[in-house]
Amino acid sequence: MRAWFARGVEAPEDRALPPRVEAVLDDTVRAYWTARERQHVRDVYAGVRIKKFPEDLRMMEHLMWLSRSQVVVELGTHFGGSALWFRDRLRALAGYGRVPRDVRVVTLDLRQDKARAALLAADPSYEDGITLLEGDITDPETALRARAAFPEGARCLVVEDTLHTYGTTAAALRNFAPLVPVGGFFVVEDGIVDVPELRPPDMPGGVLPAVRDWLAGPDGADFRQRRDLERYGLTCHVGGWLERVRQGPA
């Protein structure tokens, strides 16, 4: 049995869309996964590269709503497409009265030249809701700089999308998890680097061991791993959905 949908004819404007993935029903789930993984690195939002599965974005939107996040702290800006997406979702939450209107995305990377150019082209007023910070997430001072950009009293969601190694994942958790309030979430992206059947080429891994060790230690004692949030059938972030369930000692 071949794909269940008709292929159709691609219109010229469809060239701005991500590549098509066919659901070939006599292929394996792994083949479909591989095709989707190749597709998502070429996806865009508002004309800017975003590189995230739609299923994962949808779950993050749920978590932003549930946790009343007024701020998203993004570790790893890349081209800035996800920063735009997070900002627009926060504005939607504010429009429904779920959070105050003073929403903000604080997005960090070592260099922001490419993101700054891409965001400026997509939205010349992007700075109204997006703060670009340059810094090393392994430096605790970088987390303090991120926190200083929050509106007063704002709750946040943290999304970690850096090198996906043990060292960077552990540092991100150690330095930025303290920003997450009780009932809030920290999303460690791309745990698939530690799943042999799903690992993209040339990815060293270390994400899941870092999450495991952090949760087992004193710093992670106030969080729980929410594997039940991997509920759309496809996710890049296996083992990475973490919720703060209590406030530890200051």
Side-chain angles (χ1 to χ4, degrees), residues 161-184:
D161 187 15
T162 58
L163 290 179
H164 311 310
T165 64
Y166 186 98
T168 56
T169 302
L173 287 164
R174 181 173 61 251
N175 294 332
F176 289 87
L179 303 181
V180 177
V182 174

Side-chain angles (χ1 to χ4, degrees), residues 33-129:
W33 165 271
T34 302
R36 286 291 307 277
E37 199 279 329
R38 287 195 302 265
Q39 178 201 48
H40 95 287
V41 298
R42 296 174 60 190
D43 208 349
V44 296
Y45 178 75
V48 183
R49 192 68 59 86
I50 189 168
K51 299 173 68 173
K52 295 189 189 296
F53 271 26
E55 292 87 351
D56 289 329
L57 291 172
R58 185 71 180 107
M59 180 51 64
M60 291 182 198
E61 188 172 23
H62 282 305
L63 300 186
M64 293 159 67
W65 177 276
L66 291 172
S67 63
R68 295 181 181 269
S69 295
Q70 186 181 348
V71 171
V72 172
V73 176
E74 180 184 46
L75 310 181
T77 308
H78 305 293
F79 287 96
S82 53
L84 282 173
W85 186 91
F86 285 127
R87 183 205 62 182
D88 292 350
R89 301 289 75 70
L90 290 171
R91 286 180 172 177
L93 265 63
Y96 283 108
R98 190 71 176 173
V99 299
R101 290 195 172 274
D102 186 12
V103 298
R104 181 145 298 269
V105 177
V106 182
T107 181
L108 297 98
D109 221 315
L110 292 173
R111 294 288 302 273
Q112 296 286 20
D113 301 21
K114 291 181 180 179
R116 188 173 291 108
L119 290 171
L120 190 62
D123 180 2
S125 63
Y126 78 88
E127 291 181 308
D128 291 344

Side-chain angles (χ1 to χ4, degrees), residues 136-203:
D136 186 344
I137 65 162
T138 66
D139 181 354
E141 290 296 320
T142 304
L144 297 179
R145 291 170 54 216
R147 180 65 184 86
F150 288 19
E152 184 176 356
R155 294 169 58 82
C156 79
L157 168 80
V158 177
V159 179
E160 188 272 335
D161 187 15
T162 58
L163 290 179
H164 311 310
T165 64
Y166 186 98
T168 56
T169 302
L173 287 164
R174 181 173 61 251
N175 294 332
F176 289 87
L179 303 181
V180 177
V182 174
F185 295 87
F186 191 118
V187 182
V188 179
E189 295 206 346
D190 293 318
I192 58 168
V193 299
D194 295 303
V195 181
E197 297 84 1
L198 304 178
R199 180 186 296 128
D202 304 319
M203 299 294 288

